[in-house]
Amino acid sequence: MFKEIYKKIEEYDTIVIARHIGVDPDALASQLALRDSIKLTFPNKKVSAIGTGSAKFYSIGKLDKLEKVNNALLIVLDTPDKKRVDSVDFSQFAYMIKIDHHPFVEEFCDLEYIEDTASSTAEIIMNLIMNTDLECDKNVAETLYLGLASDSNRFLFDSCTSKTFGLISIFLEKYNFELSEVYKKLYLRPMNEVRLEGYIALNMNVTENGLGYIQITNEVLNQLEVDSASAGNMINNFNFIKEVLVWATITEDVKNDQIRVSIRSRGPEINEVAEKFNGGGHKFASGAKLKSFDDAMQLMKELDECLIEYNKTLSEEN
Ligand code: AMP
């Protein structure tokens, strides 16, 4: 299918690359790298990467302005469902392609490449470049490595396979980018966020079934001078706690009048529970946006029940 995707890229003079709302490093890196790779290959094409940015990720690269387009190709990255595509008027496009590594939710593009076992969308873009005539340079390679390293939480997950490391090895050797530069862009953070991490560690509730959760009110966010996305962004730092198999941050987002929930698991699959609450995601990394802390506690109850089932099955097996 990579060849088909390449053919479509070749065919259209105007290409817009979009991704999901709530920008994260993999989605952003993938769209910027694909844009720059297409521009290197076809300097005369008009290619833009769009969506709402975040000051937190400015060092990864700059997005483009949303403009009206005609007879254009849309490439949606890292997004399984239409409602979560950021800032796109679908009616403007002549052809649409989806490239994603989330479990399938719905078909909304003419051509869809889904590899839900891939570590990241960045890994798929690496593969796309390797298997077509798309050009790459040091900057594109570094950006893709950044997306992959971020979404796999620095290669902690089983989705990192020999294929993943093989690709990284080829890109590192060919383009010779510096790993320390990538990690500075990804992980350098202000003291306030470290203090928030401390607050979460100190105040996390842990149930006897292995659910860890924390409610973070707007008041706490203000006291610590951090924004409502900060807790969700650091959820991966709470992996590998012996007593905790599923963990969640529940953050008040006054600006958007919602409660943001980020969930991770080292045990049971959690995406179906998140879907019941109008959220979704990967089997072991999901999220939801809710109306109230009460709804969030209902979600926690269901996650805890899920853990009871999971623990029961485990003890029956042993
Ligand atoms: P997060 O905790 O925000 O990093 O999200 C983890 C995963 O869940 C990502 O793959 C997101 O795409 C997905 N996700 C987060 N929030 C939602 C939501 N409201 N609806 C569907 N999927 C979500």
Side-chain angles (χ1 to χ4, degrees):
M1 194 179 283
F2 288 142
K3 300 269 183 280
E4 257 179 273
I5 294 174
Y6 182 81
K7 259 197 194 153
K8 288 291 166 192
I9 291 173
E10 216 175 9
E11 193 179 319
Y12 285 89
D13 291 333
T14 308
I15 301 170
V16 174
I17 306 171
R19 41 84 190 149
H20 59 75
I21 49 175
V23 61
D24 65 28
D26 180 36
L28 180 63
S30 297
Q31 65 176 163
L32 297 176
L34 180 59
R35 175 195 66 190
D36 295 345
S37 165
I38 298 174
K39 280 184 173 175
L40 281 174
T41 321
F42 304 103
N44 296 326
K45 287 191 194 293
K46 195 167 177 294
V47 195
S48 49
I50 61 152
T52 313
S54 158
K56 210 177 147 53
F57 303 133
Y58 277 168
S59 60
I60 300 177
K62 260 184 86 181
L63 286 159
D64 302 295
K65 278 211 186 84
L66 193 62
E67 281 173 18
K68 268 219 152 324
V69 290
N70 212 339
N71 191 35
L73 169 68
L74 173 70
I75 305 179
V76 177
L77 299 180
D78 202 37
T79 318
D81 48 349
K82 201 170 178 176
K83 73 172 191 307
R84 298 198 78 236
V85 180
D86 192 356
S87 314
V88 168
D89 172 2
F90 290 91
S91 66
Q92 283 190 58
F93 293 93
Y95 197 85
M96 298 191 280
I97 296 175
K98 181 212 277 184
I99 300 175
D100 188 24
H101 78 126
H102 289 86
F104 175 80
V105 175
E106 64 173 340
E107 190 175 323
F108 61 91
C109 290
D110 303 291
L111 186 63
E112 301 209 337
Y113 181 85
I114 299 160
E115 196 183 328
D116 64 4
T117 52
S119 66
S120 53
T121 297
E123 179 177 333
I124 304 178
I125 303 299
M126 280 181 168
N127 243 322
L128 174 69
I129 290 174
M130 286 292 297
N131 287 286
T132 62
D133 290 333
L134 279 175
E135 300 274 343
C136 186
D137 63 7
K138 187 175 172 181
N139 173 52
V140 169
E142 181 185 299
T143 306
L144 287 171
Y145 177 81
L146 180 149
L148 196 166
S150 171
D151 235 39
S152 64
N153 201 10
R154 277 169 283 178
F155 320 109
L156 279 183
F157 306 136
D158 292 336
S159 56
C160 285
T161 59
S162 57
K163 206 171 106 189
T164 317
F165 289 108
L167 274 170
I168 292 172
S169 172
I170 294 168
F171 275 71
L172 253 181
E173 181 157 346
K174 227 170 154 181
Y175 302 107
N176 200 24
F177 53 90
E178 275 169 51
L179 297 185
S180 59
E181 282 308 306
V182 174
Y183 297 129
K184 256 189 261 163
K185 285 184 187 174
L186 267 181
Y187 299 117
L188 200 65
R189 59 194 178 140
M191 195 63 208
N192 291 355
E193 290 195 6
V194 182
R195 295 197 204 287
L196 173 65
E197 195 173 327
Y199 175 88
I200 297 172
L202 276 175
N203 294 289
M204 184 181 275
N205 300 288
V206 181
T207 70
E208 59 181 355
N209 305 309
L211 173 70
Y213 64 93
I214 173 102
Q215 292 193 7
I216 304 163
T217 59
N218 188 49
E219 198 183 334
V220 169
L221 295 177
N222 288 341
Q223 268 166 16
L224 296 173
E225 295 178 35
V226 289
D227 65 29
S228 60
S230 301
N233 288 334
M234 63 181 63
I235 188 153
N236 290 330
N237 300 358
F238 293 89
N239 202 341
F240 299 114
I241 300 171
K242 254 190 186 165
E243 294 82 355
V244 176
L245 270 180
V246 174
W247 63 105
T249 55
I250 305 164
T251 314
E252 191 172 10
D253 175 1
V254 172
K255 211 165 103 194
N256 296 301
D257 193 22
Q258 64 189 8
I259 304 292
R260 302 164 74 130
V261 184
S262 280
I263 318 161
R264 298 292 184 270
S265 174
R266 254 184 314 113
E269 294 178 6
I270 48 173
N271 54 335
E272 285 180 12
V273 182
E275 278 161 24
K276 278 167 72 179
F277 288 79
N278 201 28
H282 302 279
K283 286 177 186 164
F284 302 108
S286 294
K289 291 189 166 62
L290 304 175
K291 293 252 175 309
S292 65
F293 277 121
D294 283 349
D295 289 351
M297 289 319 294
Q298 193 56 40
L299 170 55
M300 294 306 115
K301 193 165 160 267
E302 296 215 13
L303 288 171
D304 206 39
E305 282 162 7
C306 188
L307 271 162
I308 294 174
E309 275 308 304
Y310 178 81
N311 292 332
K312 208 165 83 193
T313 316
L314 264 194
S315 65
E316 279 165 10
E317 279 171 11
N318 293 324

